[in-house]
Amino acid sequence: MEMQNTIPKPVWWTGTIVKSLLCLFMAFDALMKIIKHPSAVEGSVQMGLPESSIPFLGVYLLLATALYIYPKTVMLGMLLLAAWLGAAAGIMYRDGIAGHPYIFPIVFAVLIVIVEFLRNGRIRTMVPFTK
């Protein structure tokens, strides 16, 4: 948020709204895994993950999301979420489920990086798309 004055307000607000929606989804998914909701357990077991690992995965996802929300650790959170989503895409691709569901985590990972590009001046300086 410290770089908001160098980023146009509509761009910053667009990034903030999309980031909020992404974080809500990730936090909801993490909580469903932590409480071992039947649908979360069923989906994870279908992918070949042991049921005993589901709460740990939920804690990892919740921690990564919290790090992504906190401005001082946004880069670490972004990397941990990208790793999570990359692993999810790999597991889904390996299982060969019809309908290409592995595209969903890839789109989420790309959105996370785009959102930080829209909101964060430090990332804009690291990846300069303009002169």
Side-chain angles (χ1 to χ4, degrees):
M1 193 145 151
E2 68 225 16
M3 297 286 208
Q4 183 181 359
N5 56 0
T6 62
I7 299 171
K9 279 194 176 211
V11 171
W12 188 85
W13 276 108
T14 301
T16 301
I17 290 168
V18 173
K19 181 176 181 172
S20 300
L21 294 173
L22 288 169
C23 289
L24 283 172
F25 177 81
M26 295 294 190
F28 178 75
D29 187 30
L31 292 174
M32 297 302 279
K33 286 178 180 7
I34 290 171
I35 65 170
K36 292 179 84 170
H37 190 273
S39 64
V41 171
E42 178 185 338
S44 298
V45 169
Q46 251 182 350
M47 299 289 172
L49 300 171
E51 189 174 337
S52 62
S53 70
I54 296 170
F56 171 76
L57 295 173
V59 170
Y60 173 91
L61 182 56
L62 192 61
L63 177 67
T65 303
L67 289 171
Y68 181 61
I69 292 170
Y70 187 62
K72 289 186 179 185
T73 59
V74 71
M75 295 296 285
L76 178 61
M78 184 175 72
L79 290 173
L80 291 173
L81 286 175
W84 169 269
L85 292 164
I91 290 170
M92 289 179 182
Y93 183 78
R94 177 198 67 192
D95 287 346
I97 300 171
H100 307 293
Y102 57 86
I103 293 174
F104 182 74
I106 293 171
V107 169
F108 258 57
V110 169
L111 275 175
I112 285 172
V113 174
I114 289 172
V115 161
E116 281 314 307
F117 183 80
L118 293 176
R119 295 187 75 243
N120 196 329
R122 291 179 296 172
I123 293 178
R124 284 177 179 240
T125 59
M126 287 192 304
V127 186
F129 284 121
T130 59
K131 293 182 182 180

